[in-house]
Amino acid sequence: MSSSHANWRLVGAVVFDLDDTLYPERQFARGGLAHVGRLLEERFGALRAREELLAALERGQRKGAIDRLLESRGLPPEIAVELVRAYREHEPSLELHVGAREALVELRSRGPLAILTDGPLESQRSKIRALGLRAMVDAIVINDEWGPEHWKPARSGFLRVVAALDAKMDNRRGVFCYVGDNPVKDFLGARESGWLTVELRHSDRLDPRPDAPTPEHEAHAVVESFEQLLGLLQPPG
Ligand SMILES: [Mg+2]
């Protein structure tokens, strides 16, 4: 765990990213590619398409895997649009990261909680449903509801969360804290909004962790588990 000299005792509300922060996004990718593979087998006669797509995922070659399969099987590239939609709209089966549920319960006993996520609206809604998160937090903001220009690092989503939690904050003074996994987009808008930021660095992320483009894109602290996160965000003494 590493942390700058931020005063973590000032944190009044904690806001989480979704993919690869609260649950392993690899689970969604696996289910989506299996669904697409079955469609290819049943509707387009592409034998063992499911197996091939899942193998590409395991090799770290998820991006472009559908296009490559269509090409190698001589299938029309236009059907990729439909297949990508099927990937996004499949009904996922997901589980929270180890310790996430306990951390959400503990943090909610201290103050309001929210989720702020990018990603296609329908995918994000079905992930939240599959994980049962609606009842575990006080607000959920899916930036895509307002269009792709509102995706992080845009500040608009962070401002929407502040507005959504306003009533829950009562007279509580407190700084907002954003917990995410991606230094390219998770922390800049939060920092510019005066929030504290924590990078939760899980080892099994879907894509390799990108480097922060500038120091302003870095989080104030890095933790490697929900247990470490709870330790960082000590309750006010
Ligand atoms: Mg993420």
Side-chain angles (χ1 to χ4, degrees):
M1 181 163 92
S2 69
S3 168
S4 64
H5 294 295
N7 189 348
W8 299 100
R9 288 182 180 278
L10 295 179
V11 170
V14 184
V15 183
F16 286 90
D17 168 54
L18 180 60
D19 298 294
D20 271 337
T21 295
L22 287 176
Y23 84 100
E25 191 176 8
R26 178 171 296 275
Q27 293 176 351
F28 184 84
R30 206 178 276 135
L33 289 176
H35 179 64
V36 167
R38 271 194 300 275
L39 275 180
L40 280 162
E41 290 168 7
E42 289 163 12
R43 297 207 4 227
F44 300 96
L47 296 177
R48 297 161 76 87
R50 179 173 176 274
E51 198 179 319
E52 190 172 319
L53 289 173
L54 292 177
L57 173 66
E58 295 315 313
R59 284 196 307 272
Q61 295 170 346
R62 172 184 60 102
K63 288 183 179 159
I66 294 175
D67 293 332
R68 284 194 302 277
L69 187 139
L70 294 180
E71 197 185 344
S72 72
R73 306 298 184 95
L75 289 166
E78 307 86 72
I79 65 174
V81 177
E82 181 189 341
L83 296 173
V84 168
R85 194 184 315 123
Y87 174 90
R88 289 181 178 165
E89 295 180 357
H90 84 282
E91 208 52 55
S93 171
L94 308 174
E95 279 180 38
L96 291 171
H97 265 301
V98 171
R101 181 173 307 277
E102 296 76 4
L104 290 172
V105 169
E106 167 63 25
L107 290 171
R108 204 178 187 194
S109 74
R110 303 182 196 170
L113 290 189
I115 291 171
L116 173 64
T117 177
D118 289 342
L121 185 58
E122 283 313 317
S123 299
Q124 301 315 92
R125 281 182 176 156
S126 65
K127 291 167 183 175
I128 287 162
R129 250 195 327 271
L131 291 164
L133 285 167
R134 186 69 63 178
M136 302 187 69
V137 297
D138 300 289
I140 295 177
V141 173
I142 303 175
N143 286 326
D144 199 40
E145 203 168 320
W146 289 272
E149 68 277 17
H150 291 268
W151 287 30
K152 295 172 286 184
R155 284 186 60 194
S156 52
F158 296 96
L159 301 176
R160 283 195 179 92
V161 169
V162 173
L165 291 186
D166 186 50
K168 298 266 176 191
M169 294 295 278
D170 323 312
N171 321 325
R172 235 187 274 266
R173 291 160 179 277
V175 172
F176 281 71
C177 176
Y178 193 56
V179 182
D181 68 290
N182 186 335
V184 170
K185 58 181 199 152
D186 282 345
F187 310 121
L188 182 68
R191 295 184 70 134
E192 287 175 349
S193 309
W195 294 26
L196 286 171
T197 53
V198 181
E199 180 183 342
L200 186 42
R201 205 177 280 183
H202 298 293
S203 53
D204 61 343
R205 42 183 300 120
L206 178 57
D207 296 315
R209 175 188 176 274
D211 287 329
T214 73
E216 288 73 39
H217 286 75
E218 301 268 14
H220 294 91
V222 177
V223 297
E224 291 176 354
S225 66
F226 281 96
E227 194 181 358
Q228 285 187 0
L229 178 68
L230 287 179
L232 179 74
L233 303 175
Q234 292 289 342

